[in-house]
Amino acid sequence: MRILILALLIYLGYRVFKTLIISGPVSCRPDRDEDLAVVDDIMVQDPLCEIYFPKKNGIKEVIDGERVYFCSTKCRDKYLDRIKRAS
Ligand SMILES: [Zn+2]
């Protein structure tokens, strides 16, 4: 009986381990996840995570007079932080 519990624990541990590897430590996905919604807008690329998304769903930010779109405020903040540190 004890070996059965041990086997179960190993199995559960393995599952958790696998899930952690697949999902990864940093998940950078749009907050509004409309998976495969109708593309009726221009697709733009997030300069930080390099995800493509419809422009209207993006977070607009003007950097050095240039309009940049981000998939989420999280990415925007990280990007701005990176620029600040670089300059
Ligand atoms: Zn992003």
Side-chain angles (χ1 to χ4, degrees), residues 28-30 46 48-51 53 70-72 74-76:
C28 185
R29 300 209 52 191
D46 184 314
L48 192 88
C49 65
E50 298 179 340
I51 279 175
F53 55 89
F70 297 92
C71 70
S72 65
K74 215 162 88 182
C75 277
R76 183 198 62 192

Side-chain angles (χ1 to χ4, degrees), residues 38-75:
V38 186
V39 181
D40 59 350
D41 204 356
I42 302 161
M43 297 297 278
V44 287
Q45 192 183 24
D46 184 314
L48 192 88
C49 65
E50 298 179 340
I51 279 175
Y52 282 93
F53 55 89
K55 204 176 191 177
K56 62 171 181 182
N57 289 353
I59 311 291
K60 198 180 98 182
E61 190 68 37
V62 179
I63 301 166
D64 293 330
E66 209 177 308
R67 262 174 280 176
V68 184
Y69 293 86
F70 297 92
C71 70
S72 65
T73 52
K74 215 162 88 182
C75 277

Side-chain angles (χ1 to χ4, degrees), residues 2-42:
R2 195 179 275 178
I3 204 147
L4 210 79
I5 292 163
L6 194 74
L8 194 76
L9 281 172
I10 289 165
Y11 174 69
L12 284 174
Y14 171 72
R15 289 261 325 244
V16 169
F17 182 65
K18 215 174 156 189
T19 312
L20 283 173
I21 284 179
I22 291 167
S23 58
V26 181
S27 62
C28 185
R29 300 209 52 191
D31 294 328
R32 287 153 288 173
D33 200 2
E34 306 157 22
D35 35 312
L36 301 173
V38 186
V39 181
D40 59 350
D41 204 356
I42 302 161

